[in-house]
């Protein structure tokens, strides 16, 4: 057994496991190469229970590659003893010694760069410090050292390039990301996905780690527009969350997809019933109702007339509505009279 100590920012567990499966025949029971017997049973033994889910995911992916069942044991580590010194770095001390692993695999591993490292190198190669300094002023509370400084068009292109990478799941699972730009890249990669269920799973995985309005607002999966029947259920679930940016994301998706042909007046009630002291939730509620006034004026106006929203949100809604070119001058004058 080999004890592996690693920095998950440099190389995530998923990547280590992928390399591991390149090194073994996972369908062989109690045998690897010329070595046989129960002590040669292949296995993955974890010390952190949170690693088990990743291990199971990789095992499931590997199982699809074989007709025979995998014979890799997975369990929590119970006992570990360090081997005698002459066993340590055995092939360095015994270059002609036997090992079932081909020497090419060692060379491959030494040169190997995980997708997380390749992505970060790519982002820093595109860094624009002037843009970083400007953009950081728009996001109070986000340390400038967490911002690389990548312009959105470049980030979208980078996302499209890496979305096709065979190891992109390693990046998507390496949360939390260290940099703001990595979170944005993550969101753009999700937007490129073609499967609805996987898209939702990835959004649910990312949302708890979003800590700013900009990242939240850029996640716009293309396939949502063709899956409204499923989407509305997920929107309702997100809006019931206790997390600021999960709620905000839910409201924004409702605003984006359900204020036109698929609009229902009950959706207005969903948003009106949200109570939160969080600025970015209140601002999103105001943005939603201002847009609703522009698109569904007659259905939305009673909520404003009845002053159903908290005073700050009510007034902000009217302010944003008055700024809209889609609302008539007559409507704007009436809305001004409704300010609290």
């Amino acid at each position: 057994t080999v004890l592996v100590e690693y920095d998950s920012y440099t190389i995530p567990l998923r990547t280590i496991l992928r390399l591991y499966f390149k090194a073994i025949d996972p369908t062989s029971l109690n045998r690897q190469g010329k070595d046989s017997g129960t002590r040669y049973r292949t296995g993955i033994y974890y010390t952190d229970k949170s690693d088990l889910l990743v291990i199971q995911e990789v095992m499931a992916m590997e199982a699809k590659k074989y007709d025979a069942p995998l014979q890799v044991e997975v369990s929590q580590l119970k006992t570990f003893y360090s081997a005698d010194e002459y066993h340590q770095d055995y092939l360095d001390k015994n270059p002609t010694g036997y090992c079932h692993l081909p020497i090419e695999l060692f060379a491959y591993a030494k040169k190997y760069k995980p997708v997380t490292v390749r992505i970060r190198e790519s982002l820093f190669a595109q860094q624009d410090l002037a843009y970083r300094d400007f953009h950081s002023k728009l996001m109070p509370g986000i340390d400038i050292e967490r911002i690389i400084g990548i312009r959105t068009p470049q980030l979208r292109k980078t996302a499209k390039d890496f979305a096709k990478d065979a190891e992109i799941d390693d990046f998507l699972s390496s949360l939390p990301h260290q940099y703001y730009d990595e979170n944005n890249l993550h969101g753009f990669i999700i937007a490129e996905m073609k499967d609805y269920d996987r898209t939702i799973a990835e959004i649910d995985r990312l949302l708890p780690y979003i800590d700013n309005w900009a990242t939240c607002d850029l996640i716009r999966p293309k396939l949502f527009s063709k899956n409204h029947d499923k989407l509305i259920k997920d929107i309702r679930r997100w809006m019931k969350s206790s997390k600021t940016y999960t709620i905000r994301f839910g409201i924004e998706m409702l605003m984006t997809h359900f204020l036109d042909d698929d609009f229902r007046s009950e959706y207005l009630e969903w948003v009106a019933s949200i109570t939160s002291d969080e600025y970015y939730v209140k601002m999103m509620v105001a943005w939603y109702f201002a847009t609703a006034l522009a698109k569904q004026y007659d259905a939305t106006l009673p909520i404003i007339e009845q002053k159903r929203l908290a005073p700050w949100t009510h007034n902000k809604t009217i302010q944003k509505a008055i700024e809209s070119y889609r609302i008539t001058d007559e409507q704007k004058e009436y809305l001004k009279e409704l300010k609290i």
Side-chain angles (χ1 to χ4, degrees), residues 230-267:
K230 294 180 180 179
L231 178 60
I232 193 63
K233 297 175 183 177
D234 288 306
I235 286 175
R236 187 64 168 143
R237 175 171 58 84
W238 291 324
M239 289 170 58
K240 290 182 178 180
S241 171
S242 61
K243 295 184 178 298
T244 297
Y245 294 103
T246 301
I247 300 171
R248 182 181 173 95
F249 179 73
I251 301 171
E252 184 176 3
M253 290 302 99
L254 189 69
M255 178 182 73
T256 301
H257 294 279
F258 293 92
L259 278 178
D260 295 301
D261 293 341
D262 288 338
F263 169 76
R264 294 182 183 178
S265 58
E266 66 183 279
Y267 299 154

Side-chain angles (χ1 to χ4, degrees), residues 212-223:
N212 65 87
W213 65 268
T215 302
C216 179
D217 293 359
L218 65 76
I219 304 175
R220 297 293 184 93
K222 298 175 183 177
L223 54 71

